[in-house]
Amino acid sequence: MPETKGGGALDPDAILALDRAHVWHPYGPMPGRTDPLVVESASGVRLRLARPAEGRDELVDGMSSWWSAIHGYNHPVLNEAAHGQLGRMSHVMFGGLTHEPAVRLAARLVEITPEPLRHVFLADSGSVSVEVAVKMCLQYWRSLGRPAKSRLLTWRGGYHGDTWQPMSVCDPDGGMHGLWSGVLPRQIFADAPPADSEPYDEAYADHLRALVARHADELAAVIVEPVVQGAGGMRFHSPDYVRVLREVCDEYGVLLVLDEIATGFGRTGALFAAEHAGVSPDVMCVGKALTGGYLTMAATLCTSAVAQGISRGEVPVLAHGPTFMGNPLASAVACASIDLLLGQDWQGEVKRIGAGLRDGLAETASLPGVKDVRVLGAIGVVQLDREVDMASATRAAVREGVWLRPFRDLVYTMPPYVTDDDDIARICRAVAAAAREA
């Protein structure tokens, strides 16, 4: 086993040996069945490999590191924000203390998210922000003397994270958490929303209305991903159905939670996907691109009505307090990332990327086994009629000089917004190659 003492760099063989022995990778067995690629450094939209793979020593990142690195890597503005904050303090507990970076971030989030979201709870990750959102909703109704309102409604095809309550509102059949179906809280599931390529379906809208009406006395909240369902299947749906949910939640006294962890900060062509529907939720979750992919951080925002309802209850506090809540380093970088995004023509860049994906992926529709090709904002998806052979598809993309991470029956891309047209074309060629090999 390689030695790890001292500050000397490990060679690729040593890294992989230690990785195989000790590191448990996401959604994988222990030990892993295949060796991961070793990334040595990253800059712009390129990942530099410590050892060539498929003849490539650098790869264009078509995934934005799971949709978070919207500005690419090693960005001078974000680097400066991190270095500047590091010289002041990297962390201080948030219980009983506060600091400028977290306060600035909370105020900035209130400024850019839909009214009337006014209050911000800073969390560790997207999944934890959903946990906090659920806790807010359950405690709100307990504080109002209605503890029976303790269940959640969502639609099938969704994904909200891998911690406990978020798992309970992920797709119960096609999702990743079927193992826990007999143990998780039993939530209420509507049918998956029709694809946005289909005409608006009033019968489906009536289905949503009927479910909320039938369960209103036990429903604390409805929680959905607006417009784009992410890791549950990369499905797009009409914003009209989000409007229906807002209307029926108002009618029957149910809170509406919008999970914008994947869709926030411009990915769909609007700053937040709720804007496509012209609605505001009672509670909203953001994460992923919040810090531009630099550090883990998320936030749960709520209205004053929700905050005041909890604060007037028998237990007038939200009993949640992550150790690294409001981390100054992450907060400073998040502020810089938001300012960097809004200080440029991000809408134009997302539109440009979307046009490039449409053009580049168009011919993919004629490949054998391709079921659907769809693009929204800076998201491109190729859906197959079979499960992806991930190892073969990944190798095919790497041969084209691109990093992709296919899953289930999907080969998809969410490039950083700084990806130029030539690299968008390269990504499209890699998606096509991966679809052929999958």
Side-chain angles (χ1 to χ4, degrees):
M1 186 62 63
E3 291 289 331
T4 60
K5 296 178 182 178
L10 298 172
D11 64 37
D13 286 335
I15 292 171
L16 288 173
L18 289 167
D19 188 283
R20 282 190 294 270
H22 304 300
V23 180
W24 206 325
H25 285 268
Y27 308 113
M30 184 70 225
R33 297 191 182 98
T34 58
D35 285 338
L37 304 183
V38 180
V39 178
E40 183 177 72
S41 64
S43 183
V45 300
R46 281 170 164 71
L47 309 176
R48 296 191 179 90
L49 304 181
R51 169 185 290 159
E54 304 295 326
R56 301 286 185 172
D57 56 13
E58 69 175 23
L59 303 175
V60 174
D61 179 15
M63 303 304 296
S64 299
S65 275
W66 268 339
W67 326 342
S68 63
I70 57 174
H71 307 296
Y73 300 92
N74 204 21
H75 196 289
V77 171
L78 303 189
N79 287 358
E80 182 181 356
H83 288 148
Q85 184 58 43
L86 194 60
R88 289 186 287 274
M89 61 178 171
S90 60
H91 184 60
V92 64
M93 67 182 289
F94 213 48
L97 301 173
T98 194
H99 49 79
E100 183 178 337
V103 172
R104 280 186 177 274
L105 176 58
R108 197 75 167 107
L109 287 173
V110 168
E111 178 186 349
I112 66 175
T113 52
E115 288 282 358
L117 298 170
R118 304 295 299 168
H119 309 287
V120 182
F121 192 98
L122 297 170
D124 308 68
S125 69
S127 185
V128 174
S129 76
V130 176
E131 291 278 1
V132 171
V134 173
K135 185 179 286 187
M136 281 181 177
C137 295
L138 298 182
Q139 190 168 342
Y140 171 81
W141 291 112
R142 284 179 177 269
S143 296
L144 268 59
R146 301 190 65 183
K149 288 174 73 67
S150 61
R151 296 183 74 188
L152 306 172
L153 184 147
T154 188
W155 45 37
R156 292 178 181 271
Y159 172 83
H160 299 277
D162 298 334
T163 53
W164 202 245
Q165 287 284 3
M167 286 199 299
S168 76
V169 285
C170 293
D171 191 284
D173 299 317
M176 294 178 279
H177 306 308
L179 175 65
W180 306 107
S181 59
V183 186
L184 290 169
R186 290 179 60 253
Q187 311 297 7
I188 300 160
F189 288 88
D191 296 340
D196 69 342
S197 58
E198 300 174 9
Y200 176 75
D201 186 349
E202 189 62 43
Y204 179 76
D206 288 342
H207 166 66
L208 295 176
R209 295 184 185 105
L211 268 181
V212 174
R214 187 183 316 143
H215 295 280
D217 289 342
E218 59 178 336
L219 277 182
V222 171
I223 177 170
V224 296
E225 300 158 282
V227 181
V228 176
Q229 294 182 295
M234 303 304 300
R235 301 175 75 250
F236 309 155
H237 58 264
S238 169
D240 290 335
Y241 302 121
V242 181
R243 281 193 286 272
V244 169
L245 288 176
R246 178 71 278 177
E247 292 165 4
V248 72
C249 284
D250 288 343
E251 181 178 358
Y252 288 98
V254 176
L255 298 176
L256 178 63
V257 180
L258 294 185
D259 177 349
E260 294 252 17
I261 294 163
T263 54
F265 305 102
R267 180 58 69 175
T268 68
L271 191 58
F272 297 97
E275 296 171 18
H276 291 294
V279 304
S280 180
D282 302 292
V283 180
M284 182 174 174
C285 300
V286 297
K288 287 195 180 292
L290 175 60
T291 68
Y294 268 54
L295 293 152
T296 180
M297 187 177 232
T300 308
L301 293 90
C302 71
T303 64
S304 294
V306 171
Q308 291 168 9
I310 292 171
S311 299
R312 288 196 297 263
E314 182 181 353
V315 179
V317 300
L318 184 66
H320 202 95
T323 300
F324 291 96
M325 180 177 178
N327 174 258
L329 195 56
S331 297
V333 176
C335 288
S337 178
I338 293 170
D339 289 344
L340 180 62
L341 177 67
L342 299 185
Q344 60 183 301
D345 181 17
W346 63 268
Q347 288 175 307
E349 292 303 289
V350 169
K351 186 176 180 180
R352 174 186 61 82
I353 291 171
L357 293 176
R358 284 188 186 87
D359 290 344
L361 296 177
E363 293 184 4
T364 310
S366 62
L367 292 177
V370 170
K371 184 178 177 182
D372 187 36
V373 177
R374 49 190 181 268
V375 174
L376 177 67
I379 308 168
V381 183
V382 173
Q383 185 171 11
L384 306 178
D385 61 5
R386 62 192 183 280
E387 289 286 316
V388 170
D389 181 332
M390 185 181 293
S392 296
T394 300
R395 283 194 299 270
V398 169
R399 282 195 294 272
E400 296 291 331
V402 175
W403 175 248
L404 299 174
R405 187 67 171 171
F407 75 104
R408 288 171 48 177
D409 58 347
L410 303 168
V411 182
Y412 76 101
T413 180
M414 287 189 175
Y417 301 163
V418 296
T419 310
D420 66 26
D421 292 343
D422 287 343
D423 283 335
I424 291 296
R426 179 187 289 269
I427 289 171
C428 291
R429 291 194 297 271
V431 171
R436 281 193 294 269
E437 294 292 323

